[in-house]
């Protein structure tokens, strides 16, 4: 399976390229400089050159708070430009995996969001990613894969932030306990993404690691493993005002994904153990 990845130098893109190559698939990951999806012809040109069976779009404007002040750019990169990637995939009849997010929901749910559940983004980032989903779904060979709270090699993330603050001597660390979701290891996600692409899954699916936990609970586990002497103090979202509102409840229904994969999704604690070993 030949795999072409836009946003291939980002945190998830690297994992997808790495996993594809481990399987022996020819895989090409493009940086923004090489494969800027806002340029209408660029995705199609790469598809014609590389001739993939699967195109994975990991390219995105991911700085959630900056999206609030740069709405046009967010809508362009995360929304409208997905149509260029679709056109590229379509030109060869390749499958497309469009990576999306839990932020398409409003966060007021109390049970895992079904894939056909009512969306209602509360941030510009969420709105722009929802637009990207709609662009992708105009093509019948697309899979929109909603994911959440990623951590993995090659980029700063929540785990590296906690470790850095602990290393710098901050004690206690203050972390919100009123946002609940599914921390997700990019290597596990990359495996599932390629398996779903191989199974020719289409429509909307979700992938996040189990079990649901708050940022506070996740931080406690990170610190317990690496800096047991550092305390974690639970605080509220309102204690950390930020430009973009965060959904309070971000748990996705992964059971349809598990049915296609024929296995349960992995736990975030297993992912964390792998990741801590990976970064040494
Ligand atoms: N991180 C999370 O917790 C999280 C949660 C839910 C969903 N997601 C989604 O998962 C996907 C991957 O996220 P990530 O965390 O791996 O993000 P990331 O590390 O920020 O990577 C994003 C990649 O997109 C590239 N990019 C930006 N603008 C581009 C453009 N116009 N054309 C082509 N490439 C462009 C970036 O290149 P430069 O570095 O050169 O700008 C970078 O390689 C995104 O769709 C994101 O919305 C992420």
């Amino acid at each position: 399976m030949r795999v072409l990845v836009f946003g291939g130098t980002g945190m998830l893109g690297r994992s997808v390229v790495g996993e594809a190559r481990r399987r022996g698939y020819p895989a090409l990951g493009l940086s923004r400089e090489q494969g800027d999806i806002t340029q209408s012809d660029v995705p199609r040109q790469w598809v014609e050159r590389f001739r993939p069976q699967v195109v994975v779009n990991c390219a995105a404007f991911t700085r959630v708070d900056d999206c609030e002040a740069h709405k046009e750019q967010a809508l362009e990169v995360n929304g409208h430009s997905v149509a260029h990637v679709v056109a590229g995939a379509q030109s060869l009849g390749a499958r497309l995996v469009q990576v999306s997010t839990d932020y398409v929901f409003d966060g007021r749910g109390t049970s895992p969001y079904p894939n056909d559940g009512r969306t209602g983004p509360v941030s510009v980032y969420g709105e722009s990613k929802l637009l990207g989903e709609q662009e992708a779904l105009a093509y019948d060979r697309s899979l929109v894969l909603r994911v959440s709270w990623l951590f993995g090699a090659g980029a700063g993330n929540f785990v590296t932030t906690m470790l850095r603050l602990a290393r710098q001597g901050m004690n206690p660390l203050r972390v919100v306990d009123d946002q609940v979701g599914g921390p997700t290891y990019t290597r596990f996600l990359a495996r599932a993404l390629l398996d779903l692409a191989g199974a020719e899954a289409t429509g909307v699916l979700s992938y996040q690691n189990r079990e649901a936990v708050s940022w506070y609970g996740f931080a406690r586990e990170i610190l317990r493993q690496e800096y047991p002497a550092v305390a974690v103090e639970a605080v509220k979202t309102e204690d950390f005002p930020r430009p973009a509102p965060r959904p309070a409840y971000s748990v996705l229904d992964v059971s349809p994904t598990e049915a296609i994969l024929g296995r349960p999704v992995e736990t975030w604690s297993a992912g964390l153990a792998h990741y801590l070993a990976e970064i040494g």
Side-chain angles (χ1 to χ4, degrees), residues 7 9-13 32 35-38 58-60 62 77 99-102 125 129 147-150:
T9 51
M11 181 166 63
L12 178 58
R32 178 191 355 202
D36 183 347
I37 63 166
T38 66
C58 294
T62 55
V77 178
V99 180
S100 193
T101 170
D102 53 311
Y125 171 74
K129 293 291 295 182
V147 306
S148 70
W149 296 20
L150 303 186

Side-chain angles (χ1 to χ4, degrees), residues 88-133:
Q90 220 159 8
S91 68
L92 197 68
R95 276 163 270 150
L96 170 65
V97 181
Q98 166 68 20
V99 180
S100 193
T101 170
D102 53 311
Y103 280 48
V104 298
F105 294 109
D106 66 10
R108 288 198 290 253
T110 51
S111 58
Y113 298 106
N115 295 319
D116 61 356
R118 195 173 50 81
T119 51
V122 293
S123 62
V124 169
Y125 171 74
E127 184 187 338
S128 67
K129 293 291 295 182
L130 182 59
L131 181 61
E133 291 192 355

Side-chain angles (χ1 to χ4, degrees), residues 61-69 103 123-126 243-246:
F61 180 10
T62 55
R63 295 190 310 279
V64 173
D65 289 324
D66 289 349
C67 286
E68 295 295 310
Y103 280 48
S123 62
V124 169
Y125 171 74
R246 276 18 187 205

